[in-house]
């Protein structure tokens, strides 16, 4: 896909509807972020439009026009963020198209990734990284593994293929939920995800 095409298309349609960007000083305006995530191995694309006010008919219209122009987008979301912090998360997320997640493949495993979950953007390098972690961990037959800051389970699930069991601890509840889905998706019954801060655990 052409780099930045989603942003250009969304900007054009938002401008036509008169939707202003969010101003950091005045804290006025509507459009805060457009987050685009692409799964390199599966070709899926997730777009998340973060806005300062929602529900809003004009925002819905912009998203409909973007999706009509870019049908290759597999998952689209709108996130309401009313706070002042400059983060691409918010109080509530609405799924407009798809299941609200995308699927990426890394090595022999598949991972479902939601908008709030971290996953390595370079899948080829992530696969190499996970291989190095497995190599450094050494033989794991019969071992009980603890993975702190586990995210969606990239390392946890790789190690679960060799270990007796893996306990994955992840503070972001959406990421831990993705991890549980990923364990089921890959038929790994020996990997448990705990939604809790590593320090608290």
């Amino acid at each position: 896909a052409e780099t930045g095409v989603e942003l250009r298309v969304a900007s054009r349609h938002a401008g036509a509807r008169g939707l202003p960007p969010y101003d950091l000083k005045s804290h006025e305006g509507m459009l805060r972020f457009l987050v685009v995530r692409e799964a390199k191995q599966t070709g899926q694309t997730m777009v998340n439009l973060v806005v300062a006010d929602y529900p809003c008919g004009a925002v819905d219209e912009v998203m409909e026009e973007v999706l009509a122009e870019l049908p290759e987008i597999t998952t689209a979301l709108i996130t309401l963020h009313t706070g002042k912090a400059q983060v691409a998360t918010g109080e509530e997320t609405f799924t407009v198209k798809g299941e609200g997640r995308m699927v990426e493949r890394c090595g022999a495993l598949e991972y479902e990734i939601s908008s709030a979950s971290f996953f390595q953007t370079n899948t080829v390098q992530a696969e190499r990284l996970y291989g190095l972690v497995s190599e450094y961990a050494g033989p794991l037959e019969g071992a009980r593994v603890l993975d702190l800051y586990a995210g969606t389970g990239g390392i946890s699930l790789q190690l679960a293929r060799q270990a007796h069991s893996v306990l994955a601890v992840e503070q972001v509840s959406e990421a831990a939920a993705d991890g549980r889905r990923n364990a089921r998706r890959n038929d790994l019954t020996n990997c448990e995800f705990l939604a809790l801060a590593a320090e608290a655990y």
Side-chain angles (χ1 to χ4, degrees):
E2 182 188 346
T3 303
V5 66
E6 296 89 356
L7 178 59
R8 285 194 296 279
V9 170
S11 294
R12 179 165 33 85
H13 288 295
R17 297 263 174 221
L19 288 176
Y22 185 79
D23 186 284
L24 295 176
K25 293 181 181 176
S26 68
H27 301 293
E28 296 176 349
M30 177 63 84
L31 307 176
R32 300 190 69 142
F33 297 97
L34 182 72
V35 181
V36 180
R37 298 176 76 173
E38 296 176 325
K40 307 294 188 218
Q41 301 298 330
T42 64
Q44 294 187 8
T45 302
M46 176 170 30
V47 171
N48 185 9
L49 179 61
V50 183
V51 296
D53 185 27
Y54 195 76
C56 172
V59 169
D60 287 333
E61 290 168 2
V62 167
M63 186 61 88
E64 287 172 13
E65 291 165 342
V66 169
L67 292 174
E69 191 167 335
L70 300 173
E72 62 270 22
I73 295 172
T74 50
T75 295
L77 309 107
I78 297 172
T79 295
L80 170 65
H81 175 43
T82 60
K84 293 183 178 178
Q86 280 300 98
V87 293
T89 58
E91 298 90 81
E92 192 169 1
T93 298
F94 305 85
T95 302
V96 177
K97 179 181 178 182
E99 296 182 2
R101 299 179 298 278
M102 66 179 191
V103 175
E104 181 60 300
R105 195 167 33 256
C106 187
L109 299 177
E110 287 188 345
Y111 298 87
E112 291 186 37
I113 307 157
S114 62
S115 63
S117 297
F118 169 80
F119 194 81
Q120 300 288 342
T121 55
N122 187 326
T123 314
V124 174
Q125 291 303 318
E127 190 173 340
R128 292 183 66 196
L129 171 68
Y130 300 158
L132 285 172
V133 170
S134 296
E135 181 183 325
Y136 291 160
L140 293 176
E141 187 176 342
R144 295 172 58 216
V145 175
L146 175 63
D147 184 10
L148 302 178
Y149 310 97
T152 59
I155 292 172
S156 305
L157 298 179
Q158 293 288 335
L159 298 180
R161 297 172 67 204
Q162 308 163 42
H164 175 267
S165 64
V166 175
L167 176 60
V169 180
E170 169 55 47
Q171 181 173 359
V172 178
S173 59
E174 294 90 346
D178 283 346
R180 288 185 202 101
R181 268 192 300 273
N182 292 334
R184 287 192 300 271
R185 183 180 193 93
N186 292 285
D187 296 320
L188 293 168
T189 58
N190 62 335
C191 190
E192 178 186 354
F193 281 80
L194 184 60
L196 189 66
E199 298 82 356
Y201 174 78

